[in-house]
Amino acid sequence: MSHSVPSRPQMDVQVERKFVPKQKDLGADVTWAKINKDVLKSLEKPRPVFWVIFFSALALFSFGVYCEVYQYQNGMGVSDLNNPQVWGLYIATFIFWIGMGHSGTLLSALLHIIHADWRKPIYRYSEAMTTFTLLTAALFVLVHMGRLWQFYYVVAYPNERWTWPNFTSPLVWDATAIGTYLTSSLLFLYMGMIPDLAICRDNARGARRALYRFLSMGWQGTDRQWANFKVAYMTMACFLMPLAVSVHSIVSTDFAVSQNPGWHVTSFPPYFVLGALYSGCSGIITLFIVLRYVFRFEAYMTQPILNKLIKMTFAIAMVWTYLDLIEYATTWYGSDEVAKADLVYRATGDYALQFWGMIFCAMVMPFTLLIRFVRTNYTTLLIISLILNVGMWLERFQIITPTFAKSHYPWLWTAGWFPSWVQWGIVAGSFGWFTMLFMLYCKIFPSVSMYEVKEMVHEQNMEEKAHATQTEVHEPGLLPEMEGGQA
Amino acid sequence: MKKSHTLALYADMDEAANALKELKSSGVSGFRMEDVVVKSPIDHPELSELLGPRPVYIQWFTLLGVLLGPTTGLVLIASAQASFIYQVRGGRPVVPLPPDMVLTYELFILSGVLMTVLATFVAMKLPGNRSPLYNASVSEDKIGILVKAEPQSIPQINEILGRHKPLEIMGDQAR
């Protein structure tokens, strides 16, 4: 007996052959000459809002200087810093600025090593952000000491006065690590700028020309210079990656090696590094939107690049959230009853508002980045990025203040302590100082890397050329359709 | 004999590459490929390959930096700790190696970075004087081929460079 197998109905399946071009990071109209023209123009004529931002920052900075002078003349008492609240907003903001500084150079170096080309239009200002945030953070070390003239005690050097720095102290590690990071970041930023400074030199006049001539040091773009430059830049990127991780790990040891409740946590180093990356990425998004508008960088700071930056920020936010929850879980299930009481105090005590504010701003708000409207609307995104950084600042505040407020000794409890206006003034001044320096930098130096964006354009053109040739060889009929699709 | 220079500017990278290929295979006497320099707004590995090997030695200086930095750093820190003999350490070592590793590591990075930067400037001959044949358009969108040769060879070289649609040929004996 034979069974006849019913034959399948012959279906004429037609696969529609469509060429879906990958979304390009830069528009097709970007040429090498246009890059020079646009970036050089940004140094000459930004939008008028530049001056509004600059003078607002200057006013804020001036107020900060006034507060510092007032504190210097009247003593640390005016800041309300006293035992046990000896750090207050100063060290919370110090950590905030150090953290902000981490993403710029770290991400630039990381993305350079893995050849992620989308970093090219945005890495320059990110590195500048690192430099200026470190300079801002360094101010707080001086400000919180009160006695400014004795700052050299934190610098690790042996001297002849029998006052040897304690080389095993995290504070000395901190000063050395930050000094190393600042030096290396500054050199990384400067090295990467040399070819662009030569472009500025070739196009500027007067005092600017003299400045660029001095800083470009006679760069001519020869093949030997490029070959050496590429090796050196990659080598420095390889150094800066572990350096950045080490710096914020060391900052975390300021807390983690102490016995204070809430600080003696093993996961603090990665938690701090991720927190630094998180706030830094949010800072990069904020500056992306501001620079894009102020300096008319619409052709270079594009939506596809911003989208990648947002995805990275979201991923980092999730890892940071995980580490934050791990910190609470470790304390909750641990055997240190004082640490557990400190955790409960943070969530329910005098600083509960700051605690839950941090949870909302830094843990809940990142989920809004999943909404397409938020990602594509610059104003909304600017607000969200600022909220994320408010959350990260609150995180630093609630690490320090509640622990000092209710530590091991009940006679040192200072529940309800709140910083004085002098502290708030100096913190506000630091934001003015950073913004002022950063905007000044963008007005004097190219904040978009011209030669690296040219490399992007060159690679995009080569890819298109190679793709067109390949398609012509294998599927001659497809080419006109493709071209139509691209157009 | 004093050598002369000639600089040809190209708008197209393929033309510049063809000019280099022809120059290499021409057999013109009075110049060496080592004396040919390509000036461009970006790094062009495609063109550099045609120029022959141009080794980079920066990494050796980096290696020197990463060896000297931590060694010197650890010796300085340990000697400072060891010379302060009156400190009360409560039974712990006067020179505690694990915490000293933190500063040693920072000096490892710092020294490596500084030596790399120093070597880079030496290798790039910076700061340096600008060549008289520099043209600002090579920092914008043009590719320049600079040849140093005996004066009598320059006309032949200019002829080769001129066959590949240069925008301009500059130099003492330019057309």
Side-chain angles (χ1 to χ4, degrees), chain A residues 52-347:
Chain A
V52 177
I53 296 173
F54 180 79
F55 284 112
S56 307
L58 182 65
L60 214 53
F61 172 60
S62 307
F63 181 63
V65 170
Y66 167 75
C67 292
E68 169 57 21
V69 171
Y70 181 74
Q71 177 182 285
Y72 186 82
Q73 287 174 340
N74 294 283
M76 290 302 281
V78 298
S79 66
D80 279 356
L81 285 181
N82 206 338
N83 274 329
Q85 292 286 358
V86 288
W87 283 357
L89 295 187
Y90 295 153
I91 295 302
T93 315
F94 161 77
I95 299 164
F96 171 79
W97 283 117
I98 290 284
M100 277 280 280
H102 268 62
S103 270
T105 303
L106 178 58
L107 290 179
S108 170
L110 171 67
L111 297 174
H112 180 68
I113 290 168
I114 62 170
H115 296 285
D117 272 1
W118 61 270
R119 85 183 246 286
K120 291 178 175 175
I122 60 168
Y123 86 89
R124 175 71 53 72
Y125 81 79
S126 312
E127 288 177 9
M129 181 184 90
T130 291
T131 304
F132 296 125
T133 48
L134 289 177
L135 287 175
T136 312
L139 286 180
F140 281 99
V141 177
L142 304 176
V143 168
H144 105 286
M145 283 195 311
R147 298 173 183 177
L148 299 180
W149 58 95
Q150 290 184 349
F151 80 95
Y152 54 81
Y153 277 112
V154 295
V155 182
Y157 76 105
N159 57 67
E160 295 172 351
R161 293 184 293 276
W162 287 95
T163 51
W164 300 104
N166 181 5
F167 293 108
T168 59
S169 159
L171 297 181
V172 174
W173 300 345
D174 213 2
T176 313
I178 291 167
T180 303
Y181 191 52
L182 181 59
T183 311
S184 306
S185 297
L186 206 56
L187 287 171
F188 193 54
L189 172 67
Y190 175 60
M191 282 272 289
M193 271 205 310
I194 291 176
D196 282 354
L197 290 169
I199 298 175
C200 295
R201 171 200 66 199
D202 293 342
N203 292 279
R205 287 179 187 169
R208 271 184 182 254
R209 187 181 169 83
L211 174 72
Y212 299 137
R213 181 193 287 271
F214 173 74
L215 290 174
S216 63
M217 298 200 297
W219 171 273
Q220 291 193 20
T222 67
D223 55 281
R224 282 191 177 87
Q225 285 178 338
W226 279 117
N228 283 290
F229 177 81
K230 290 282 169 179
V231 171
Y233 201 64
M234 181 59 87
T235 309
M236 287 185 75
C238 293
F239 276 122
L240 277 156
M241 278 271 301
L243 175 62
V245 173
S246 81
V247 173
H248 223 64
S249 305
I250 288 172
V251 171
S252 79
T253 61
D254 290 349
F255 302 92
V257 300
S258 77
Q259 299 294 320
N260 283 331
W263 293 359
H264 196 56
V265 183
T266 316
S267 65
F268 252 34
Y271 172 60
F272 267 55
V273 172
L274 262 299
L277 278 173
Y278 180 18
S279 60
C281 278
S282 309
I284 292 174
I285 292 176
T286 308
L287 295 176
F288 182 104
I289 297 166
V290 171
L291 293 189
R292 185 180 189 276
Y293 177 73
V294 174
F295 293 102
R296 301 183 176 90
F297 284 143
E298 289 86 352
Y300 311 100
M301 298 183 180
T302 58
Q303 187 65 48
I305 292 176
L306 184 60
N307 220 13
K308 287 172 183 136
L309 194 55
I310 292 168
K311 283 177 189 167
M312 197 168 66
T313 308
F314 180 75
I316 291 171
M318 290 303 104
V319 182
W320 175 84
T321 302
Y322 166 75
L323 286 168
D324 197 41
L325 296 175
I326 279 290
E327 183 206 330
Y328 301 148
T330 312
T331 307
W332 186 253
Y333 290 108
S335 58
D336 187 344
E337 291 302 323
V338 181
K340 209 181 285 184
D342 176 76
L343 180 61
V344 173
Y345 175 64
R346 280 191 211 188

Side-chain angles (χ1 to χ4, degrees), chain A residues 32-33 36 156 158 162 164 166-168 172-173 176-181 183-184 187 190-191 194-195 198-199 201-203 209 213 216-233 235-236 238-240 242-243 246-247 250 450-452 454-455 458 462 465, chain B residues 13-14 34-44 46 48 51 54-59 62 66 76-77 80-81 83-86 89 96 99-100 102-103 105-110 112-114 116-117 120-121 123-131 134-136 138-142:
Chain A
W32 285 8
N36 273 22
W162 287 95
W164 300 104
N166 181 5
F167 293 108
T168 59
V172 174
W173 300 345
T176 313
I178 291 167
T180 303
Y181 191 52
T183 311
S184 306
L187 287 171
Y190 175 60
M191 282 272 289
I194 291 176
I199 298 175
R201 171 200 66 199
D202 293 342
N203 292 279
R209 187 181 169 83
R213 181 193 287 271
S216 63
M217 298 200 297
W219 171 273
Q220 291 193 20
T222 67
D223 55 281
R224 282 191 177 87
Q225 285 178 338
W226 279 117
N228 283 290
F229 177 81
K230 290 282 169 179
V231 171
Y233 201 64
T235 309
M236 287 185 75
C238 293
F239 276 122
L240 277 156
L243 175 62
S246 81
V247 173
I250 288 172
M450 288 183 267
Y451 72 93
E452 294 215 65
K454 283 177 188 172
E455 282 179 355
H458 180 64
M462 296 285 276
K465 208 169 158 183
Chain B
M13 192 185 75
D14 294 337
E34 292 89 75
D35 291 334
V36 178
V37 172
V38 171
K39 297 184 180 187
S40 54
I42 63 169
D43 181 31
H44 279 297
E46 312 93 322
S48 303
L51 296 170
R54 305 245 155 129
V56 174
Y57 299 107
I58 290 172
Q59 56 272 33
T62 308
V66 297
L76 281 175
I77 294 163
Q81 287 166 331
S83 64
F84 190 35
I85 53 173
Y86 299 116
R89 298 290 299 163
D100 285 354
V102 177
L103 291 183
Y105 181 77
E106 294 303 319
L107 289 166
F108 156 79
I109 300 271
L110 183 63
V113 167
L114 291 178
T116 305
V117 172
T120 309
F121 287 147
M124 294 197 299
K125 296 181 181 170
L126 297 179
N129 292 323
R130 293 177 64 177
S131 155
Y134 179 77
N135 188 297
V138 298
S139 69
E140 188 176 314
D141 57 353
K142 305 292 180 290

